[in-house]
């Protein structure tokens, strides 16, 4: 049984549970469907497509509103803010609520991982790459693999984060 993070407006849940490596795997449990752990490629693809419709800067700025407040603890206020921000996406509100909740949970997970040095900044790098730089979701999801943390840290500092 997972730890509930957020009950979404469409009845789905976002939760933490055991994954391949730790207890910080993020799952979505849609109503009447199988629970799954979305990959970075999955939600980067959806957010990039939603960015074409709503503007990549809007999605990135909404992400930053959540990012700035995120730490190692789940915060009910941030989860409520996700619901409010999502309502500005019209017919895509439910999907945005889901992906913003997943990204928020992913950042909390990164902040709690013992050996993660870059913490939540790694999610910001991926979102910056797909939304602001126009990179492919596959590129962004796999960009940091095999790179030293110092190299990634320097790159993030050059980008202002």
């Amino acid at each position: 049984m997972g730890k509930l993070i957020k009950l979404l407006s469409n009845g789905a849940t976002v939760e933490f549970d055991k994954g391949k490596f730790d207890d910080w795997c993020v799952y979505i449990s849609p109503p009447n469907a199988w629970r799954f752990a979305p990959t970075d490629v999955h939600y980067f693809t959806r957010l990039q497509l939603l960015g074409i419709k709503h503007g990549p800067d809007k999605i990135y700025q909404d992400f930053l509103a959540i990012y700035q407040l995120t730490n190692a603890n789940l915060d009910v206020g941030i989860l409520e803010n996700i619901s409010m921000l999502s309502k500005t996406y019209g017919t895509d509100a439910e999907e945005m609520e889901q992906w913003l909740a997943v990204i928020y949970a992913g950042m909390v997970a990164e902040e709690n991982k013992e050996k993660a040095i870059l913490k939540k900044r790694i999610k910001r790098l991926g979102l910056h790459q797909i939304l602001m730089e126009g990179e492919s979701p596959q590129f962004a999801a796999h960009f940091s693999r095999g790179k030293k943390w110092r190299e990634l840290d320097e790159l993030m500092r050059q980008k202002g984060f």
Side-chain angles (χ1 to χ4, degrees), residues 11 14 22 29-30 72 80 82 84 93 120 124 139 147-148 161:
V14 177
D22 58 28
S29 296
E80 290 172 358
I82 287 170
M84 297 305 295
K120 67 183 180 179
R124 183 172 180 179
F139 173 88
K147 291 185 175 54
K148 305 280 187 204
F161 53 91

Side-chain angles (χ1 to χ4, degrees), residues 40-106:
D40 290 346
V41 172
H42 185 143
Y43 61 82
F44 284 176
T45 299
R46 291 303 308 148
L47 288 168
Q48 192 173 56
L49 291 171
L50 289 162
I52 292 168
K53 183 175 180 181
H54 298 279
D57 192 58
K58 176 177 176 29
I59 292 175
Y60 190 69
Q61 292 306 314
D62 287 346
F63 160 75
L64 286 179
I66 297 161
Y67 173 89
Q68 303 291 356
L69 301 172
T70 300
N71 59 43
N73 301 307
L74 286 173
D75 185 314
V76 174
I78 294 172
L79 293 166
E80 290 172 358
N81 192 29
I82 287 170
S83 296
M84 297 305 295
L85 288 170
S86 300
K87 289 178 183 177
T88 67
Y89 289 88
T91 58
D92 296 316
E94 287 181 358
E95 186 174 8
M96 281 303 301
E97 179 187 35
Q98 174 178 285
W99 297 130
L100 288 174
V102 165
I103 292 167
Y104 172 61

Side-chain angles (χ1 to χ4, degrees), residues 124-135 139-140 143:
R124 183 172 180 179
L125 177 61
L127 284 166
H128 191 274
Q129 287 173 324
I130 63 155
L131 294 170
M132 307 313 293
E133 298 173 32
E135 296 289 356
F139 173 88
F143 179 78

